[in-house]
């Protein structure tokens, strides 16, 4: 498809969606592609606000269950109640969330979007919009800037919360890191991500709201943003299983997106080591969230990502479980963690070039790496149990931590 044809096709899809969004639910619910159809009884009632003085809504993505975790963290603050929202099913991974709306309803039901918007405008004092995504779907034609204006006109304070790909600029990242997933990648894929990030950056500029980012490397993409640490339940991941009790350690890799995690860069290495009998390599994809703690408990080493230069939920969960977390982490990230918390990040550094040597060193020096892994749970309690995230949110919510 030519560039002009692609643009025309995109505009036609948008036009069809806008036309559908203005039709009654009785029509939209029964027409269009199968994925766009829904039963009228599946249209949920609008969200209910908490009864506290400060009432926060976080949504609509809940990637890796973090929207819900940040909502719970906010509730640590005085007089704050919070509700997490998710549109769609998050890939079927079943993360906890307070309020769900089916994607077909979210995208196509103007009735749902209008009632949801009215409930939020009347009932909440603060809204945190995830991934520059529409909160009200068809009611606002999914135009985030329009929603922010509407909320502000009703006295609702708005912040933006970015997760990664939504604002990460491929052109900048490709220059920064030789292992960047945006180097030597399919041009169409990179172009699509670049266009989305550029568009979302313009939306952030236009709405001029406080911006929070989930990982420190995103501060390079959005200077002036605030790092909002990922939150995990340390006790949920805790295990009494010891690590490195065998000379063939179990090495786990659970990439949410293999393309951006650098899986193709490291898998030949770990698969070769597995075939040689030096490690027991296990790759898992799209496992329900409730099964992950037991998988981590069986592992010695958890490999996160080797292309982006950051650490995220996988490494935090691995550290909480007392496993050895291994990832490629930029010095900028480690420096920011140290400057913000006073702690060193206990994630072992490795690149595709050095991963084999790192795994060999883990096998050769088990006592050293056991001690490093023992620092993980305490680090997570200090940085990622929700306390620091609550303190980070306090100024936006207008309360004292």
């Amino acid at each position: 498809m030519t560039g002009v044809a692609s643009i025309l096709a995109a505009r036609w899809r948008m036009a069809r969606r806008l036309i559908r969004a203005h039709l009654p639910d009785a029509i939209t619910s029964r027409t269009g592609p199968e994925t766009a159809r829904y039963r009228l009884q599946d249209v949920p009632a609008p969200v209910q606000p908490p009864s506290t003085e400060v009432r926060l809504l976080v949504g609509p993505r809940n990637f890796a269950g973090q929207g819900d975790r940040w909502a719970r963290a906010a509730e640590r603050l005085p007089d704050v109640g919070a509700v997490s929202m998710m549109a769609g099913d998050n890939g079927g991974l079943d993360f906890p969330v307070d309020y769900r709306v089916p994607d077909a309803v979210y995208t196509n039901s103007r009735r749902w979007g209008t009632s949801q918007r009215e409930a939020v405008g009347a009932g909440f004092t603060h809204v945190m919009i995830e991934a520059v995504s529409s909160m009200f779907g068809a009611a606002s034609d999914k135009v985030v800037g329009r929603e922010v204006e509407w909320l502000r006109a009703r006295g609702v304070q708005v912040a933006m919360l970015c997760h990664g790909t939504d604002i990460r600029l491929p052109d900048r990242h490709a220059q920064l890191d030789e292992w960047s997933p945006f180097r030597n990648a399919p041009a169409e894929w990179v172009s699509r991500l670049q266009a989305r990030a550029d568009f979302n950056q313009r939306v952030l500029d236009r709405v001029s709201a406080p911006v929070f980012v989930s990982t420190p490397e995103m501060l390079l993409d959005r200077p002036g943003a605030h790092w909002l640490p990922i939150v995990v339940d340390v006790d949920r991941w805790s295990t009494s299983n010891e690590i490195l009790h065998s000379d063939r350690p179990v090495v786990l890799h659970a990439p949410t997106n293999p393309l951006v995690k650098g899986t193709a860069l490291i898998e030949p290495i770990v698969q070769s080591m597995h075939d040689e009998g030096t490690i027991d390599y296990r790759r898992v994809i799209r496992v329900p969230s409730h099964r992950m703690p037991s998988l981590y408990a069986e592992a010695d080493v958890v490999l996160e990502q080797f292309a982006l230069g950051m650490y995220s939920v996988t490494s935090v969960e691995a550290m909480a479980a007392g496993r050895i977390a291994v990832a490629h982490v930029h010095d900028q990230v480690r420096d920011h963690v140290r400057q913000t918390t006073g702690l060193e990040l206990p994630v072992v550094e490795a690149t595709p070039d050095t991963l084999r040597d790192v795994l060999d060193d883990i096998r050769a020096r088990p006592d050293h790496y056991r001690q490093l892994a023992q620092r993980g749970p305490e680090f997570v309690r200090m940085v990622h149990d929700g306390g620091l995230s609550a303190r980070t949110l306090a100024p936006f919510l207008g309360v004292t931590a």
Side-chain angles (χ1 to χ4, degrees):
M1 182 179 292
T2 66
V4 173
S6 179
I7 293 172
L8 291 175
R11 289 180 177 175
W12 171 239
R13 288 193 297 271
M14 179 179 293
R16 285 189 302 175
R17 180 172 60 79
L18 294 179
I19 291 170
R20 280 179 55 80
H22 287 77
L23 295 173
D25 274 23
I27 296 176
T28 59
S29 63
R30 294 181 295 172
T31 60
E34 188 66 31
T35 55
R37 300 178 191 178
Y38 54 94
R39 299 179 303 172
L40 294 181
Q41 58 264 39
D42 291 336
V43 178
V47 64
Q48 295 297 307
S51 58
T52 49
E53 180 178 347
V54 178
R55 301 173 297 280
L56 170 67
L57 177 64
V58 182
R61 292 300 167 211
N62 197 39
F63 293 139
Q66 285 303 298
D68 187 73
R69 290 294 180 190
W70 284 313
R72 303 289 77 80
E75 291 182 323
R76 296 186 178 200
L77 299 168
D79 299 317
V80 174
V83 176
S84 59
M85 168 193 165
M86 184 174 71
D89 65 358
N90 217 335
L93 296 179
D94 195 30
F95 294 107
V97 72
D98 297 318
Y99 180 90
R100 299 173 188 265
V101 56
D103 186 66
V105 175
Y106 164 76
T107 299
N108 297 289
S109 174
R110 196 170 188 83
R111 179 167 66 89
W112 170 82
T114 300
S115 63
Q116 180 80 343
R117 183 177 61 187
E118 295 297 331
V120 174
F124 288 82
T125 60
H126 296 74
V127 169
M128 183 172 292
I129 299 175
E130 293 183 276
V132 200
S133 296
S134 165
M135 296 293 288
F136 310 124
S140 58
D141 300 327
K142 290 192 172 180
V143 179
V144 173
R146 187 182 302 167
E147 295 178 349
V148 173
E149 291 178 5
W150 192 95
L151 290 167
R152 284 175 172 164
R154 285 149 185 82
V156 179
Q157 302 296 309
V158 178
M160 311 299 284
L161 175 55
C162 300
H163 286 265
T165 306
D166 46 352
I167 63 164
R168 184 180 293 113
L169 299 165
D171 55 358
R172 180 200 64 78
H173 196 277
Q175 295 177 7
L176 178 68
D177 195 322
E178 66 174 305
W179 304 109
S180 173
F182 312 115
R183 288 190 175 193
N184 304 314
E188 184 178 353
W189 176 70
V190 175
S191 177
R192 186 167 63 250
L193 292 178
Q194 183 75 42
R196 179 169 66 176
D198 286 339
F199 176 83
N200 287 342
Q201 291 277 4
R202 290 193 296 271
V203 173
L204 296 180
D205 292 340
R206 191 157 53 247
V207 303
S208 191
V211 177
F212 296 91
V213 294
S214 61
T215 53
E217 96 289 350
M218 294 169 63
L219 297 169
L220 299 178
D221 292 296
R222 192 69 192 178
H226 309 278
W227 175 40
L228 182 65
I230 289 159
V231 179
V232 305
D233 179 353
V234 184
D235 293 335
R236 177 172 181 256
W237 296 92
S238 179
T239 176
S240 60
N241 290 6
E242 296 182 358
I243 62 170
L244 301 178
H245 54 78
S246 165
D247 61 359
R248 191 184 186 209
V250 175
V251 178
L252 183 73
H253 184 44
T256 52
N257 186 336
L259 193 57
V260 300
K261 296 291 187 179
T263 299
L265 298 174
I266 59 99
E267 196 144 50
I269 299 165
V270 290
Q271 188 62 54
S272 173
M273 296 182 73
H274 175 89
D275 295 342
E276 294 164 3
T278 55
I279 66 170
D280 179 358
Y281 173 59
R282 303 176 185 178
R283 177 182 176 185
V284 295
I285 295 181
R286 307 200 68 76
V287 171
S289 60
H290 70 271
R291 287 187 51 204
M292 292 305 297
S294 62
L295 293 177
Y296 278 45
E298 297 171 357
D300 300 292
V301 178
V302 176
L303 307 179
E304 193 189 341
Q305 61 71 39
F306 298 87
L308 293 173
M310 44 79 91
Y311 78 103
S312 60
V313 176
T314 298
S315 283
V316 176
E317 293 169 345
M319 287 187 286
R323 308 300 95 175
I324 303 166
V326 181
H328 170 41
V329 182
H330 291 160
D331 288 343
Q332 173 262 338
V333 172
R334 294 182 185 274
D335 291 345
H336 189 81
V337 171
R338 185 185 311 110
Q339 293 164 8
T340 303
T341 69
L343 301 173
E344 296 291 335
L345 174 66
V347 173
V348 177
E349 171 64 22
T351 69
D353 273 353
T354 63
L355 180 58
R356 177 182 282 272
D357 291 339
V358 168
L359 293 175
D360 283 339
D361 195 49
I362 290 173
R363 294 177 63 243
R365 297 194 297 154
D367 289 342
H368 169 78
Y369 286 96
R370 286 192 194 100
Q371 293 176 7
L372 178 68
Q374 288 171 2
R375 290 168 44 199
E378 183 60 24
F379 177 86
V380 176
R381 290 187 188 279
M382 295 292 292
V383 181
H384 294 287
D385 79 333
L388 178 56
S389 300
R391 295 191 294 275
T392 302
L393 289 172
F396 164 62
L397 297 174
V399 297
T400 301

